[in-house]
Amino acid sequence: MAALRPRQKDVAALAGVSQAIVSAVINGRANRAMRISRETEQRIWDAVRQLGYVPDPIARKLAGGQNRLLGVFTYEPTFPVQPQTSNYPFLVGIEQEAVAQNYNLLLFTQTNAPDGRRTIYTAGVNNLRLADGAILFGHQAHTDELRQLLAERYPFVFIGRRQVPGHELAYVVAAHVESGAEMVGQVLDLGHRRLAYLRSPVAIEPEQDREEGFRLAHQRRGLPVDERLIARVRPEEVTPTLVAALFAAGVTAIVTEQTGLADQARVAARELGKVAPGDFSLAALGDSMTLPLDPDLTTLIIPRQAIGARAVRLLVQRLAQAEDSAPEQIYLPCAIATGRTLAAPTAPRL
Amino acid sequence: MAALRPRQKDVAALAGVSQAIVSAVINGRANRAMRISRETEQRIWDAVRQLGYVPDPIARKLAGGQNRLLGVFTYEPTFPVQPQTSNYPFLVGIEQEAVAQNYNLLLFTQTNAPDGRRTIYTAGVNNLRLADGAILFGHQAHTDELRQLLAERYPFVFIGRRQVPGHELAYVVAAHVESGAEMVGQVLDLGHRRLAYLRSPVAIEPEQDREEGFRLAHQRRGLPVDERLIARVRPEEVTPTLVAALFAAGVTAIVTEQTGLADQARVAARELGKVAPGDFSLAALGDSMTLPLDPDLTTLIIPRQAIGARAVRLLVQRLAQAEDSAPEQIYLPCAIATGRTLAAPTAPRL
DNA sequence: CTGAAAGCGCTTACAG
DNA sequence: CTGAAAGCGCTTACAG
């Protein structure tokens, strides 16, 4: 099928001018270096309209211009089957800001390796170069590939904090440390002094940061952290036995890395006849992507949509900057969903 | 810093061959038309490795012809804030099939008019031309724009049945008529003879088709449709009074256009002390995008993911066809979610 | 077996 | 004010 597109030379011929003039007019360079009569300009736009001319982004890019294509690359499928567990809120923000910045979005679906995994480089080719720059996310990110992107100075912004030893890279991420410290600070300021912290056994960046926030809140108030009250557990390991042990150790508040652990802690405590906030306080430092979020639970809310939008703005900004300007890291604060699980400590029932 | 990326000519120079040979070797065209000595080929690969050469995908596309970009255009935001009410399932299918067909996806976010509405044409220019072809969806589709696309022979596939008087266009859609007829046929074959049909006051294409399916099932069995039992109502108008009137008219089964009306009918019937399937049968011809779908309700399930995938395949196929080949319309059957609201009619309780 | 050359559709100096 | 021309980095006939 492939209808032949009109080219710049077709427009030029129809308007009776040279191709270079068409290029200048279309790119708005008309009124600067080269002044072109309003009449000529009008003829050119008429020809553009008549032929339905649209510049070829590929040719533009090759000739040195940009193509106003923003890439989106995810190591996992961009649209997982279950939207609840997905990148969806990020995409909402990315789309909104792409509209605002007048960029189109390019989803790299050609980047699948034969085994179904996604890779930026296939046979040594950087597939992202189709776009002016790209937004990356996904926990599976290969450090090797990021290093190579950095080496060839391809402009990209990561969603999420990423470390590539020896390099700095641009990213946008929730302020897990600071927001975690704020939340834990609220717990401490309510008068709690013995806080348990439940975290998962393997910690990826955001979770490391949340734990750091937990410690930071104590440190800022000159309070000690009892390392014995920090438990690395999977959700199913949060048993009544574990929770009873915490209470026995004088714990009045339980802070968890994410909502799943908090839910488990609640169930376990209830089996012991203990309820939040009457008997103990409970707060989670991460939110849940699953939709039915317990409205009672006091938890952080990760501003995913704002993060997506901010990533687009940062990328567009980088595209306009000198190639060697330092990459920026942006931390967006989380909101605190004030539930009903947080209160001042009461005297323990004996 | 970082020396300029090596080009094919650099590789050629280092290997002592012409640029064309490098291109052939790198693209594996070496052993076909042009036979190149193993030794030469080895020298070239050595040079590639030594220089860290990576072919520029942009230049490749320009020289190659098409850009293997598939556009996705929606009249509403592609990613609405609430994923439940969204195009999400279509996108899942589109992404999966784009991967299979080795195309990248282009989301048109540059197509917003100043007033925030999306239009394919801005200032007379067809923005979709950035891609080889495009998939369109959205109920707000402007017939004018579609007509113009057809006139300029731009290859596109619509998701959903669309009418443009005087033209045929390619689309993929759920087989609302046939699947509706199948569902209603099941109701009839259970022995029900007086079926009520609840539909919304304004009917867009899929809903028109469902009603047609309702009639078709009767027609095929030589059974009459009582027009007085077809009610055009909004969900809030499905009151106990209305449902009582239906029962009084001898109705033993209620079929609705979509799940919302079915939910209302159920509630209204319960107020009358009537329950499905004991007292009457209930079935819906459309499904619900909202996630907590009542598992009891017998309803059609629209194969959105399959529709998205099929649309991609159809578009790719059209791109390979002669420009004037007839557009194809594809109907995909719905699955029937067998709930618990359907049974043979019982003698009415008096 | 291999090279010189045209061309993909643009942008951008450079000449008038 | 406007045009002729080089060039971006490739692919692909075409010619030896």
Side-chain angles (χ1 to χ4, degrees), chain A residues 112-195:
Chain A
N112 277 41
D115 63 355
R117 300 198 53 166
R118 298 187 174 206
T119 49
I120 290 173
Y121 292 87
T122 48
V125 177
N126 171 10
N127 295 288
L128 305 193
R129 283 178 45 101
L130 214 44
D132 287 341
I135 290 176
L136 315 193
F137 46 101
H139 295 299
Q140 315 277 356
H142 301 183
T143 306
D144 289 354
E145 292 203 324
L146 297 185
R147 199 189 310 275
Q148 205 164 341
L149 281 183
L150 290 163
E152 62 176 88
R153 310 191 145 276
Y154 180 84
F156 70 96
V157 169
F158 215 101
I159 286 187
R161 183 166 70 83
R162 278 300 171 284
Q163 315 267 42
V164 177
H167 292 83
E168 268 206 307
L169 48 78
Y171 57 76
V172 181
V173 67
H176 294 287
V177 175
E178 201 47 54
S179 295
E182 187 190 343
M183 168 82 94
V184 173
Q186 287 194 7
V187 179
L188 292 171
D189 292 344
L190 281 169
H192 295 275
R193 282 300 170 268
R194 288 189 65 72
L195 278 55

Side-chain angles (χ1 to χ4, degrees), chain A residues 212-281:
Chain A
E212 192 181 326
F214 180 82
R215 296 175 185 279
L216 188 60
H218 285 76
Q219 187 185 316
R220 284 183 178 157
R221 288 162 181 78
L223 297 170
V225 167
D226 187 339
E227 295 294 333
R228 292 166 303 177
L229 299 182
I230 297 186
R232 302 173 176 237
V233 288
R234 294 191 304 271
E236 63 272 24
E237 292 173 340
V238 183
T239 59
T241 312
L242 173 72
V243 174
L246 294 177
F247 288 155
V251 163
T252 59
I254 299 177
V255 179
T256 68
E257 177 183 279
Q258 28 91 350
T259 54
L261 291 171
D263 290 341
Q264 291 300 314
R266 240 178 146 186
V267 170
R270 194 175 302 131
E271 285 195 31
L272 301 171
K274 306 278 191 188
V275 205
D279 303 305
F280 70 106
S281 281

